[in-house]
Amino acid sequence: MGREINWPRWRLALIGGVIVLTVLLVAIFAPQVAPYGPLDLDVAQMLSPPTAAHPLGTDELGRDVLSRAIFATRVSMQVAFTAALLGLVVGTVIGVLAAYFGGWLDLVLMRFMEVLFSFPAILLAVVLMAALGTSVFNAMLAIGIIFIPGFSRLARAATQAVMRQQYVEAAQAIGMGHTRIIAREVLPNIIAPLLVEAAAAFSYAILLESMLSFLGLGAQPPDPSWGNMISTGRGFMAQAPWISVVPGCAIFLTVLGFNLVGDGLRDAFDPHLRD
Amino acid sequence: MGPAFPTLTESIMTALVTRLLSFLFALVVASLLLFVAIKVVPGTAAGAALGIDATPQAIARFNATHGLDRPVYVQYLEWASNTLHGDFGTSFQNGVDVGPELGRRFLVTLELAGLAFIVANLIAIPLGTWAALRHQRASDSIITTLATLFGAVPSFFLATLLILLLTLRLKLLPPGGYIPFSQDPVANLRLMVMPALSLGIVSSALLVRIMRAAMIEVMSSDFIRTARAKGAPQRVVVLRHAIRNALSTYLNVAAVEFGFLFGSVVVIEDIFRIPGLGSFVLTGILNRDYPVLLASALSITVFVLVVNLIVDVAVQLLDPRVTDKKAA
């Protein structure tokens, strides 16, 4: 078999890619795509089931559920992107420094990361949000902090592997500075596994953000987020289940898309993990 | 053998002591982090306990009574020492002793996480095994796809859907609440069905993959080939040899997942109004009730840390090769 392309897996990655692209486009062009504004009230049409005017129904204030779900995409993407980026950048800096300089710096940094890593992520997110105060910005910060130890472990292991290569020794031998060795030799060689991890972090961030909003600790009403929409809709489950079901399906599809892309990236970058 | 070549037992002992020390270190740092994080929670405890009409004098008196006017490190040391002596303080909100309440709630969360864990294993072990035995055939793809789908559902959305289906449409189960097992076992379990399913199904997504991978690896190993060559029937090969070996790898991950489940009960307890540690955390946040929030968040963290410690020690004792692998 060897280098034969595994079509079923690629097809899944492709489906994931299409979902991710669609979600990103919807987030960017939300005002153009959404039939109504996220806060527009249609008082005559409260708790309306899906109709021609409101394809996915309306909520308890007569707001269009489809439009709110579309605008909520923005919050999710912003939080997930910023949180994953924060985790990636800070985690990589810590991991690379720990591996490159070793010694006590490695010991101190990694011990600290280990403690952060051993916290249950959901509990940490909730406590951090309580400490920082409820806002979308703080959700980015809290979720980003949770990702730092994972990225730092990965960056450290990858850097250690690179440091054993002869080209790093050669660079040190010709007197290249630390900054240049890290930028030119280390970073380009550790970036692939970190990006795979970033895709996984992205989908986990979407889940965590929606959970925080669901608990009332993230995006605050009336601004729509998938989590707070599900939470509001729970009060109307008997009469108007679409209020919760629509944003729930949006989370499911988005997370699924990012997971499929992540699996595809892992297969592409690391053939050993394929079975 | 000189001191440069430690014996196997010595290297295991060293590894265990190191692990224990890192556990204690994590415990101290975690408690410190929680304490500091909770101290900076916006809005003051006095404000939440006394209401918005409280006079500055009343607030000052409240802070003095509860020692909130002293430096944070003094407060931490006192709290840590009290906690170590089993004194978790009293709730700012209603003056009730937190300790006994914590014990009751711990058992509730333990039951919920335990049942969810059972659900996750009941899904993951058979499906993972089946997928591995049908490796790269249709049922393998179906099961793998199913695991991918489960992994993308937020547990709180699954909970919402279950309530919609089982409570509102089919009227089979109550929407939430809690009755102790000792009081009425049947009612207790009926209330636990939806919470345990919501957590367990989501959690099985990872475990199916682990079980499948472990079984695939075992099935291609030499001793399975030998068993087959000796003419052992497939049923014996799978049940007596393969599953037993795959489970040792699987349980390692599953135990860590149990700790993870215990740490992720917050939302589910909130939805189903289960009086466990998770909902205690939320109550603590809502009321700025520091003793409640600290005690509940810390107990969850300590439990997870202890589970991870036990897993590591068990792995160490059962498989000495791990020590060497880590050293290499």
Side-chain angles (χ1 to χ4, degrees):
Chain A
M1 305 223 275
R3 305 197 54 78
E4 212 176 288
I5 293 174
N6 187 342
W7 282 111
R9 304 251 16 194
W10 278 107
R11 207 165 46 210
L12 285 177
L14 196 68
I15 295 174
V18 171
I19 297 176
V20 166
L21 201 67
T22 313
V23 173
L24 289 177
L25 288 175
V26 164
I28 294 168
F29 297 106
Q32 285 76 34
V33 182
Y36 302 89
L39 305 176
D40 291 355
L41 305 178
D42 185 350
V43 197
Q45 293 286 322
M46 287 191 293
L47 299 175
S48 152
T51 57
H54 299 284
L56 297 177
T58 62
D59 67 7
E60 79 284 6
L61 300 172
R63 295 174 299 194
D64 186 58
V65 171
L66 173 65
S67 303
R68 283 180 69 75
I70 286 175
F71 276 93
T73 312
R74 296 187 142 184
V75 179
S76 275
M77 292 303 110
Q78 280 166 1
V79 172
F81 182 78
T82 319
L85 194 69
L86 179 71
L88 177 69
V89 172
V90 180
T92 304
V93 169
I94 292 176
V96 169
L97 289 180
Y100 189 88
F101 293 105
W104 64 266
L105 186 70
D106 185 23
L107 196 74
V108 171
L109 286 177
M110 293 328 282
R111 270 293 118 94
F112 191 70
M113 287 298 114
E114 214 169 85
V115 175
L116 210 54
F117 200 72
S118 59
F119 264 107
I122 293 177
L123 179 74
L124 189 59
V126 169
V127 171
L128 280 175
M129 285 310 288
L132 296 168
T134 54
S135 76
V136 173
F137 178 79
N138 289 340
M140 296 172 183
L141 206 61
I143 298 171
I145 292 174
I146 290 169
F147 289 151
I148 293 173
F151 280 108
S152 73
R153 274 184 171 188
L154 198 63
R156 177 173 176 268
T159 307
Q160 281 176 334
V162 171
M163 296 290 287
R164 286 193 286 270
Q165 304 296 318
Q166 284 188 334
Y167 54 79
V168 176
E169 263 176 56
Q172 284 166 335
I174 60 167
M176 226 190 231
H178 294 315
T179 326
R180 276 186 65 192
I181 295 181
I182 290 175
R184 303 252 305 254
E185 312 294 339
V186 176
L187 284 181
N189 287 298
I190 64 167
I191 200 71
L194 288 169
L195 287 180
V196 175
E197 179 76 5
F202 205 101
S203 70
Y204 195 44
I206 296 169
L207 284 174
L208 282 175
E209 186 280 326
S210 62
M211 188 204 68
L212 290 174
S213 299
F214 180 85
L215 289 172
L217 297 171
Q220 295 296 310
D223 290 335
S225 77
W226 291 334
N228 72 28
M229 288 175 75
I230 297 180
S231 172
T232 317
R234 280 185 3 95
F236 305 92
M237 267 324 254
Q239 316 97 292
W242 49 87
I243 305 178
S244 287
V245 172
V246 169
C249 292
I251 300 173
F252 170 70
L253 276 176
T254 311
V255 171
L256 183 67
F258 279 97
N259 282 350
L260 291 177
V261 169
D263 288 351
L265 283 177
R266 187 161 45 233
D267 285 353
F269 284 130
D270 189 356
H272 300 293
L273 289 171
R274 230 179 267 169
D275 29 63
Chain B
M1 274 216 200
F5 299 96
T7 62
L8 201 57
T9 7
E10 271 171 16
S11 70
I12 293 178
M13 283 311 290
T14 319
L16 286 183
V17 170
T18 315
R19 187 62 187 79
L20 204 62
L21 284 177
S22 83
F23 166 76
L24 290 175
F25 176 77
L27 206 60
V28 173
V29 177
S31 69
L32 203 63
L33 273 177
L34 280 177
F35 193 84
V36 172
I38 286 166
K39 279 296 154 186
V40 299
V41 167
T44 62
L50 304 175
I52 42 168
D53 304 329
T55 59
Q57 289 86 346
I59 291 177
R61 202 158 352 110
F62 180 90
N63 286 341
T65 332
H66 293 97
L68 297 175
D69 49 354
R70 295 167 304 159
V72 172
Y73 74 94
V74 177
Q75 294 183 42
Y76 172 76
L77 288 177
E78 189 195 58
W79 168 75
S81 140
N82 286 344
T83 304
L84 284 176
H85 289 97
D87 174 10
F88 294 92
T90 53
S91 161
F92 285 174
Q93 204 66 24
N94 49 25
V96 173
D97 202 354
V98 175
E101 177 80 20
L102 201 64
R104 273 195 298 277
R105 285 174 176 267
F106 174 80
L107 292 178
V108 173
T109 297
L110 192 64
E111 187 197 353
L112 172 59
L115 289 172
F117 188 61
I118 293 173
V119 169
N121 284 307
L122 285 179
I123 298 172
I125 296 175
L127 285 190
T129 308
W130 186 252
L133 295 178
R134 294 277 175 279
H135 188 30
Q136 284 176 348
R137 282 193 252 168
S139 30
D140 182 19
S141 314
I142 294 171
I143 291 171
T144 316
T145 310
L146 208 61
T148 310
L149 296 179
F150 284 172
V153 191
S155 61
F156 60 89
F157 180 53
L158 186 57
T160 310
L161 289 179
L162 285 174
I163 292 177
L164 178 63
L165 181 72
L166 298 177
T167 304
L168 296 172
R169 290 286 139 89
L170 301 175
K171 308 215 183 308
L172 283 175
L173 293 168
Y178 181 77
I179 294 170
F181 188 81
S182 54
Q183 198 178 317
D184 185 347
V186 178
N188 168 280
L189 290 175
R190 270 168 61 86
L191 286 166
M192 283 292 178
V193 170
M194 289 197 287
L197 281 178
S198 316
L199 283 170
I201 289 178
V202 171
S203 177
S204 73
L206 169 76
L207 294 182
V208 168
R209 287 178 172 215
I210 302 292
M211 186 65 196
R212 175 178 171 273
M215 270 302 275
I216 288 175
E217 202 185 326
V218 170
M219 290 304 281
S220 64
S221 61
D222 287 340
F223 76 92
I224 292 292
R225 220 168 298 155
T226 310
R228 284 220 168 109
K230 287 198 301 187
Q234 171 81 352
R235 191 173 50 86
V236 175
V237 170
V238 172
L239 291 179
R240 289 248 320 258
H241 303 286
I243 290 191
R244 266 174 55 184
N245 277 279
L247 277 180
S248 69
T249 314
Y250 170 83
L251 285 177
N252 197 344
V253 180
V256 175
E257 182 67 15
F258 177 66
F260 178 80
L261 268 177
F262 196 92
S264 40
V265 293
V266 178
V267 205
I268 294 300
E269 287 187 0
D270 183 49
I271 295 177
F272 292 103
R273 286 177 284 117
I274 295 172
L277 289 176
S279 52
F280 215 25
V281 170
L282 290 178
T283 316
I285 290 176
L286 205 68
N287 298 334
R288 314 266 172 255
D289 201 338
Y290 300 150
V292 165
L293 179 51
L294 270 173
S296 49
L298 190 70
S299 353
I300 294 178
T301 310
V302 169
F303 186 83
V304 175
L305 287 176
V306 169
V307 169
N308 291 345
L309 175 72
I310 293 174
V311 172
D312 281 0
V313 170
V315 168
Q316 201 77 247
L317 292 178
L318 296 177
D319 187 2
R321 280 170 305 169
V322 174
T323 322
D324 302 339
K325 252 187 241 161
K326 270 188 185 156

